[in-house]
Amino acid sequence: MNIKTNSVHTGVYKDKSYNSVTTPIYPTSTFYYDAIGKNKGYDYTRSGNPTRTALEENLASLEGGRGCCVTATGMAAVTALMFLLKPGDHVVTGNDIYGGVYRLFNQVMSQMGLTFSFVNMRNVDEVKSAMTDKTKMMWIETPSNPLLNIVDLEAMIALAKERGIVTAVDNTFMSPYFQNPLELGADIVMHSTTKYINGHSDVVGGAIIFNSEEMEDRIRYLVNALGVSEAPFDAWLVLRGVKTLAHRMEAHQANALAIAQHLEQHAHVKKVYYPGLASHPQQDLIKKQMKGFGGMLSFELDTSKVSLDQFFAKLQYFNLAESLGGIESLIESPWHMSHASMGEDGLKASGITPETIRVSVGIEEVKDLIADLDNALEK
Ligand code: PLP
């Protein structure tokens, strides 16, 4: 089924009593038994809830997976996946992944006995030489946040499969509309549903989608045992949001492309990072593994012409805020905000500078957005 149809219908119809066209919210902590061992498939909301099941069926269908677990936040999803590993295990990942994931790996999970190599994942040889006999997982984020670097999914998955290593892909930036890593052979896809999947900046959530029975058993067990599952009301909001995913992604992308092209010509902008620009150096890879370019772009502001503070202060439609993927445009400084937890060394290694500006392009009228940016870019 086409993703536009799937996102509207799959999993949704849980109300057999009144035939509601939207999924009911089941705000209950527990479910009563008719007799010992006899219930209607649910016993306790941490373990399972029909509203959450609806969202899980929907998201599994969008990514082409056999199942999905939805979690309280994107970070809760990443945390649960780390528990697939045991002390001594090693993970290879990018040096330009989302700052919060970098912090979880580098400062929290490293205390639990896991080890990590943060490498330039665009370079297959660098990834190969980081691998040891202890490597048990490859954590891939593509395109990366915020510099939109692309990792070759097929090459990484092939490398991991040769060595029996689990591949987990953070697909938050592309959403299932523009990229489907399970189809390319990845074991796990993770989303911060806070972003494009929900799309309205009114909930935080995460999702883990898998395609093998073994992964399903292990991940469902962990999400319940760790207690990181999503609340029914939050799951309901995300399910409401995902129904318009395809249409929102098209609108985000059209606006982002127009803005990226405009900024690339602006005298006060030094460089623009956007997969839809001919200047993006990884064109072949983009065509091979992505169905579109998405709504995120970053650029280097020429701060000798206009200061960061001045630029942000003059903007009217771009709110200075972390997060991304909502219908309203947001803008931020990864160095000072979303990625600050990486520390100066981590930031420098990833290529982020104090002048890097990340834009989550919304679905407003693009002429208004361009005029707003032009005004703020003037001295
Ligand atoms: N992965 C990426 C690429 C993100 O951008 C984020 C949040 O910004 C996360 C994971 C974490 O998700 P959450 O904020 O929902 O916990």
Side-chain angles (χ1 to χ4, degrees), residues 80-108:
L81 290 172
M82 287 300 105
F83 282 85
L84 291 170
L85 304 169
K86 53 182 189 326
D89 286 352
H90 173 246
V91 180
V92 178
T93 188
N95 58 10
D96 54 354
I97 55 172
Y98 166 58
V101 176
Y102 180 91
R103 175 176 58 191
L104 176 76
F105 290 175
N106 199 33
Q107 288 173 37
V108 183

Side-chain angles (χ1 to χ4, degrees), residues 162-180:
E162 270 169 30
R163 293 164 170 80
I165 293 168
V166 172
T167 44
V169 181
D170 184 338
N171 203 24
T172 299
F173 261 40
M174 282 294 99
S175 90
Y177 188 63
F178 285 135
Q179 183 168 269
N180 302 109

